[in-house]
Amino acid sequence: MTINELFIKLLKFKSITPNDDGAMEFIKEYLNDFETIEINKNGVKNLFLYKKFSDGEHLCFAGHIDVVPAGDGWDTDPFEPTIKDDKIFARGTQDMKSGVAAFLYAAKHTKNFNGTLSILLTSDEEGEAKYGTIEVLKYLKEKNFLPDYSIVAEPTCEKEFGDAIKIGRRGSINGIIELFGKQGHAAYPEKSINPIHKIAPILPKIAGINLDNGDNYFAPSKFVITDIRSGMEVTNVTPGYLKMMFNVRNNTHTNKEKIEEFVAKNFKGLNYKLTLSQSAKPFITTPDNKIVQLIDNSIQKITKITPKHSTAGGTSDARFLAEYGVKTIEFGVINDTIHAPNEYTKLEYVDKLSQIFSDVIKNF
């Protein structure tokens, strides 16, 4: 089976989160000389395949087989891959069956490796991710079998294949501020406490404000207001309650405690309640790390491009690996049509991606 045949086979599985549509069974058979661990929970399928070649370090390729729903606006059937001028159109071509095909093919054709080589796959990355990669990592930690390094094959390139890798990701902290006032008649403002009036002079001090200066790897953590609502949509009642929602894509210099201090400083003297939740923690794998240097060298060898080191974008399952102490980077095809109608990538990119992963394995 060629890399293109493998890729097309994976694309035909209608693996909309959390359904794998039989993809995991196919992958188990494809890598039938690897040991298998299956961890299925709440309808989510997780597969961990590994092969110990020697007593060296443990390298894991990680990703997800699930895709988002196709939606409307497609020119072709999103689950019947269509090739036009080296472009292949189907749901999951970029995010991220191209990456999965590339590392499966590289692993299949590995004859020698300096350590343990493994594959971690989930069917719950595009969903809530509660029962996916993190469940496998819990199990591996219990068995003292966590990887030393990981490559997550999410699409990372921007304009040219090979131009960017992710060496870290920002975290994400969501916040709700409830501001309590006193409802009353609009004609008697002196008898009311209007939370809209109370928050108005505060907004310029918090909206879009940087909470830190960032660093060589991360942009500053910014306080982004996403929703404000109050009142009853009438003109003669002063509201007694206001709710504001915000998000901070935080780097390693800002955490929940720092946000609490920032809010307390700006809302001092007011009757408010702050609720924070963190859906992802930031991480960084510095450029001097072995896995960064290996992927850099392989990308330059195959593409003749020196990739930039990025931490931009949202979150991925790389955050879970990093939280368990696994040195993690992300690299995959160009990211410009993920989750969109007519999602596509080039077959050339998938072939080169597999070559790069094979080169990393060879030189590990």
Side-chain angles (χ1 to χ4, degrees), residues 79-97:
F79 293 101
E80 283 296 330
T82 303
I83 300 173
K84 298 178 182 178
D85 301 324
D86 195 48
K87 294 178 180 179
I88 183 164
F89 295 82
R91 174 57 83 223
T93 46
Q94 288 189 6
D95 189 14
M96 62 166 282
K97 291 181 180 179

Side-chain angles (χ1 to χ4, degrees), residues 18-34:
N19 179 27
D20 77 312
D21 194 34
M24 296 299 199
E25 285 298 320
F26 165 76
I27 291 167
K28 281 166 54 181
E29 180 60 29
Y30 181 74
L31 288 183
N32 56 16
D33 58 337
F34 277 57

